[in-house]
Amino acid sequence: MKEYIDTPTYMGLATQQRSRKYILCLLILFLTYQLYRAHGPITAQVPFVPVPPPPCDQTSFPEIPGPSPKAIEAWSELRELFDAHPPNVELEHADFEGGQTVKPTVELLDEFLDLTSVEAKDMQNEHAQVVKNIPQYPDGQFNGKGIVMIAGGRYSEYASTTLGMIRLLGGRLPVEVWMKDRNEEQLGWCEELAPQGMACRFVEDYIDDMSPFSHHYQLKTPVMLLSSFSEILFLDSDCLPVVNPDRVFDAPAYRLLGAVLWPDYWGTTESPWTPYITGAKNKKDLRRPTYQTVDSGQMMWNKEMHWQTLALAAYYNYHGPQYFYTLITQGGPGWGDKDTFPTALRALSAPWHFVPHKLETQRYDDGHGYGIGTGMAMLQADPRYDNEQRPMFLHSNFVKMSARRLMCGTCIEDESALSEKQREDGEDVEFDGRIIMRKDPVWEMLNFSKRIFATRVKVESEKEKKEKEQEEKKKKEKDEEEEEEEEEEDKDDSKRNRKEQEKKTSREPGSNKSSKSKDEDIGLGSDEKEQNDSEGGAKEGERQPKLKAQPFSRSRSILQRKPQPGSDLDPQASSQQDNEPFELNWMGRLNTERDIWRVLERSACEGVWSEERLCRRTRRHLDLTFGKMERWRGECVGSMEG
């Protein structure tokens, strides 16, 4: 006998089934959308709408003259002078025990180098002879403002991106691109640069013996001295402008002082002998130095105003690897050319401007615009604004802006090289015309057509802020309690020792003086004696106060301490004020990453580094990440800000 379901019940079951199907479809759509948001192109939904830039000067560029005979002669004289006064000892370079970034004590800075007072005095005499005999500035041999850069080999690829950004942003300054010799030139590259107001120079054409220059960065000072420009903006090949760099010469501090340097992450770790040897001080300085190191990826230099200091910095670099790099840096970070420039300025008491804004670390994009993890570039501020922090340069010290580096990996076209790479780096490697490291966040973001640079600042919630404040307060209270306990222990030890001394004195025959009168006899009043007891004037048997080991801060701001008049942080008319760091969203506001990829797309598709597969990948990333736009072909586009 068949069972029948009445019509209302059947209709109810059918409706329930349809509802479940609808809910399941909606759930699938929602999950698909969330997956797309997490892994799809983050800007594909909002096509890029270009903002009309200010008009650019499209006139042709004048020809750049080469170094003058008198400039070459001046270098020859300097070379003879440097050879006549070499360092009397060779200082071997080694890191501090525990690594470069440990915070060294004054004792460690003093004892790190095995340098005797006799050796330091001899080197001071050699240094004084160099300063005394630096040739005079060759009048009339240098002209106008210009940009100087060192390229060659793989650095030429990075330089091509920087040079492209200069012209895309509307920069019209002439550029000299220096290479060590013709073997470093990418065939045909110099011919491409010439119509853009850029000239290739080869150091070997002006310096006969290249043997003293074992490192590329040693060449910075010789090329600045030989350059045809009288006013120089020096840029590392990987230091990109984010606004029109021509305007940097309008900085009031530069016009007044003639030299501008930018901060690096670290405080100086120079030897206490450094100011004595260079003549900045008349004795060994055992106080902890407080000034910041510099980032020489960008420098401004007026040669007429600072010829002697530039020549002295050249002396430090000429003998840098054997002596001065280690003397100035010891075992700390930044061994190389960068701190030879402020050392020369201090040695001659020359005026200069130190940009008052601390550098900001540009970090990876987490996929939603926020910065995460390891930094990839250094953002340096515009020196035209002392009271406001605006970006000027993006020093790509970690991830280099090269199409082949970003889109083609190491450009290993042979798949057989993959097995060797897998043995070195594990199984987390694959080959797709390039070596892909799956754990590398840059490769991951490029694979999903996302931005590399963070464009937003993650705002902390009120709860997070309160928790952070409470943690800092607890830490501060704990530190204060420890200090109070140590002070109490020191006082107890001092009292105990004083009583023992009084007993000892009272036992001596003919002694009827109190400890107070005895102290007064040797010139110590009660206040002075108390200060002496509390400030390390510990006698034999007393417990010395404990020294706290603190990590070396890599991001310490020069603004955390107030500059003293006449100090390096406040050179003469330079004003320094505490300013809040600029927000990371400047990258989105200026469209800098988009402009970089426009330059990279041109490099990948045209010219000496072009390659079909590289062009296709770069163009795809540009279109999917920033939207379809007109290709850049070297014309002036202009800066959107500045």
Side-chain angles (χ1 to χ4, degrees):
M1 182 178 176
K2 294 183 179 179
E3 293 185 7
Y4 293 93
I5 301 174
D6 58 64
T7 302
T9 304
Y10 176 81
M11 293 300 292
L13 290 172
T15 305
Q16 287 179 6
Q17 289 177 354
R18 282 197 298 271
S19 300
R20 288 195 190 98
K21 287 181 182 178
Y22 292 147
I23 292 170
L24 184 61
C25 289
L26 288 172
L27 184 60
I28 291 170
L29 286 172
F30 176 78
L31 291 174
T32 304
Y33 174 72
Q34 292 299 326
L35 189 64
Y36 176 79
R37 281 192 62 191
H39 298 289
I42 59 171
T43 55
Q45 305 161 26
V46 185
F48 169 71
V49 180
V51 179
C56 299
D57 183 0
Q58 299 285 359
T59 57
S60 59
F61 295 93
E63 187 177 348
I64 306 171
S68 69
K70 285 195 175 181
I72 300 170
E73 184 182 336
W75 169 255
S76 298
E77 291 179 29
L78 285 171
R79 173 76 177 270
E80 292 176 5
L81 182 63
F82 299 165
D83 285 334
H85 300 282
N88 52 357
V89 294
E90 187 169 323
L91 301 179
E92 185 179 352
H93 175 236
D95 293 344
F96 289 133
E97 186 176 351
Q100 289 186 348
T101 56
V102 299
K103 185 175 182 180
T105 62
V106 176
E107 291 76 17
L108 177 58
L109 293 177
D110 182 28
E111 298 170 359
F112 186 75
L113 296 180
D114 187 16
L115 197 62
T116 66
S117 57
V118 174
E119 291 170 339
K121 179 62 179 176
D122 290 344
M123 193 56 215
Q124 186 198 50
N125 293 334
E126 298 291 337
H127 185 280
Q129 288 300 311
V130 171
V131 172
K132 182 180 177 182
N133 293 289
I134 290 175
Q136 294 296 313
Y137 174 75
D139 287 320
Q141 302 304 305
F142 308 108
N143 298 288
K145 304 178 179 72
I147 297 172
V148 174
M149 183 180 298
I150 295 177
R154 70 180 186 276
Y155 297 103
S156 295
E157 289 189 59
Y158 314 150
S160 66
T161 308
T162 301
L163 297 172
M165 287 293 289
I166 291 170
R167 291 295 180 249
L168 184 144
L169 294 170
R172 297 285 300 174
L173 286 173
V175 182
E176 288 181 350
V177 181
W178 288 78
M179 286 170 269
K180 195 171 184 177
D181 52 47
R182 283 173 171 76
N183 294 327
E184 292 192 331
E185 179 193 2
Q186 179 77 9
L187 191 63
W189 187 47
C190 290
E191 286 75 7
E192 289 182 2
L193 295 180
Q196 302 175 47
M198 302 173 184
C200 288
R201 301 274 185 261
F202 300 96
V203 180
E204 66 174 2
D205 292 345
Y206 309 101
I207 299 177
D208 296 331
D209 183 10
M210 297 292 292
S211 60
F213 304 104
S214 55
H215 300 278
H216 248 71
Y217 43 74
Q218 284 181 269
L219 295 172
K220 286 186 183 181
T221 44
V223 303
M224 289 170 72
L225 288 163
L226 289 167
S227 169
S228 62
F229 309 131
S230 60
E231 298 182 61
I232 291 172
L233 168 61
F234 182 90
L235 293 178
D236 274 356
S237 59
D238 57 359
C239 187
L240 293 79
V242 299
V243 296
N244 187 340
D246 295 10
R247 296 167 184 159
V248 77
F249 286 99
D250 297 332
Y254 168 74
R255 293 203 302 265
L256 180 66
L257 303 175
V260 177
L261 298 176
W262 277 258
D264 207 334
Y265 288 106
W266 310 284
T268 184
T269 55
E270 70 177 14
S271 167
W273 284 116
T274 303
Y276 173 75
I277 289 170
T278 60
K281 293 182 179 177
N282 58 10
K283 63 179 181 179
K284 183 180 182 181
D285 190 359
L286 291 173
R287 297 173 298 174
R288 178 183 290 281
T290 57
Y291 37 82
Q292 198 85 350
T293 58
V294 306
D295 168 23
S296 62
Q298 57 285 302
M299 296 182 288
M300 298 183 69
W301 213 274
N302 185 314
K303 290 201 289 192
E304 186 173 4
M305 294 175 68
H306 286 283
W307 175 260
Q308 276 198 313
T309 50
L310 186 58
L312 187 57
Y315 174 59
Y316 298 156
N317 282 276
Y318 190 82
H319 295 296
Q322 300 83 16
Y323 190 84
F324 284 103
Y325 291 166
T326 302
L327 180 73
I328 293 170
T329 311
Q330 301 202 95
W335 188 89
D337 69 284
K338 66 191 201 68
D339 287 299
T340 60
F341 297 95
T343 301
L345 289 159
R346 283 191 286 268
L348 300 180
S349 301
W352 57 291
H353 179 66
F354 196 55
V355 174
H357 309 291
K358 75 170 185 176
L359 69 89
E360 296 291 329
T361 301
Q362 179 62 53
R363 301 184 183 278
Y364 295 119
D365 190 327
D366 66 351
H368 301 284
Y370 297 116
I372 59 166
T374 309
M376 57 188 302
M378 303 157 69
L379 287 102
Q380 295 287 10
D382 192 331
R384 293 177 295 167
Y385 306 99
D386 267 8
N387 300 323
E388 181 182 358
Q389 193 165 2
R390 297 189 186 184
M392 172 59 80
F393 298 110
L394 181 70
H395 189 179
S396 305
N397 61 323
F398 188 75
V399 176
K400 308 298 184 184
M401 295 294 107
S402 157
R404 289 206 302 172
R405 182 180 175 88
L406 293 172
M407 302 307 296
C408 173
T410 54
C411 285
I412 296 176
E413 303 299 333
D414 184 6
E415 192 166 358
S416 63
L418 176 64
S419 58
E420 182 180 350
K421 199 71 179 167
Q422 284 177 333
R423 284 197 301 272
E424 294 175 1
D425 301 315
E427 295 298 323
D428 198 44
V429 178
E430 63 185 53
F431 183 84
D432 181 23
R434 60 172 174 163
I435 296 295
I436 297 177
M437 307 291 291
R438 294 196 199 102
K439 289 183 179 178
D440 188 332
V442 174
W443 300 127
E444 184 181 349
M445 285 182 288
L446 291 175
N447 271 347
F448 292 115
S449 300
K450 293 184 178 180
R451 290 177 181 263
I452 301 177
F453 294 117
T455 57
R456 291 182 285 177
V457 178
K458 199 159 190 174
V459 180
E460 293 179 336
S461 66
E462 290 298 323
K463 184 180 178 181
E464 289 174 332
K465 285 182 181 178
K466 286 181 180 178
E467 288 176 354
K468 192 174 180 181
E469 287 174 1
Q470 287 175 357
E471 286 178 7
E472 290 176 355
K473 188 178 179 181
K474 287 179 181 177
K475 186 179 178 183
K476 188 177 179 181
E477 289 174 353
K478 187 178 179 181
D479 290 342
E480 288 176 353
E481 286 176 4
E482 288 178 357
E483 288 177 6
E484 288 176 2
E485 287 175 4
E486 288 178 1
E487 287 177 5
E488 289 296 328
E489 288 177 6
D490 290 339
K491 285 180 181 179
D492 291 341
D493 289 342
S494 297
K495 288 178 181 178
R496 194 180 304 112
N497 287 320
R498 198 177 302 142
K499 287 180 180 179
E500 290 176 1
Q501 185 67 26
E502 288 173 1
K503 288 178 181 178
K504 186 179 178 182
T505 305
S506 63
R507 293 193 196 103
E508 292 178 2
S511 174
N512 56 0
K513 291 185 178 181
S514 67
S515 61
K516 179 178 179 181
S517 60
K518 184 175 180 179
D519 291 332
E520 289 172 349
D521 283 348
I522 61 173
L524 278 178
S526 58
D527 293 339
E528 290 173 314
K529 183 177 186 302
E530 186 176 331
Q531 182 181 3
N532 187 51
D533 287 339
S534 62
E535 291 184 359
K539 301 177 182 62
E540 187 177 354
E542 286 189 12
R543 191 180 68 82
Q544 296 289 342
K546 295 179 181 178
L547 294 175
K548 290 184 182 179
Q550 296 179 353
F552 187 40
S553 174
R554 296 172 64 93
S555 58
R556 182 185 178 194
S557 169
I558 59 171
L559 304 175
Q560 290 175 354
R561 53 185 185 276
K562 293 184 178 179
Q564 299 298 321
S567 71
D568 298 329
L569 300 182
D570 187 24
Q572 294 193 9
S574 168
S575 63
Q576 304 243 356
Q577 297 188 21
D578 291 349
N579 299 300
E580 292 297 325
F582 53 87
E583 293 183 353
L584 287 174
N585 66 5
W586 68 272
M587 189 63 90
R589 183 162 42 87
L590 293 180
N591 292 309
T592 299
E593 188 173 352
R594 178 212 67 196
D595 291 341
I596 291 172
W597 279 103
R598 294 182 74 186
V599 173
L600 292 177
E601 187 266 345
R602 185 188 181 214
S603 175
C605 300
E606 295 181 12
V608 296
W609 284 290
S610 61
E611 194 267 329
E612 183 181 354
R613 178 167 45 189
L614 179 63
C615 174
R616 187 169 60 250
R617 286 178 175 156
T618 309
R619 184 167 288 174
R620 179 179 179 276
H621 176 76
L622 179 64
D623 290 345
L624 290 178
T625 308
F626 302 98
K628 295 275 187 181
M629 67 186 75
E630 186 179 349
R631 306 298 176 198
W632 182 66
R633 292 294 170 258
E635 72 280 3
C636 172
V637 175
S639 172
M640 297 185 64
E641 195 169 289

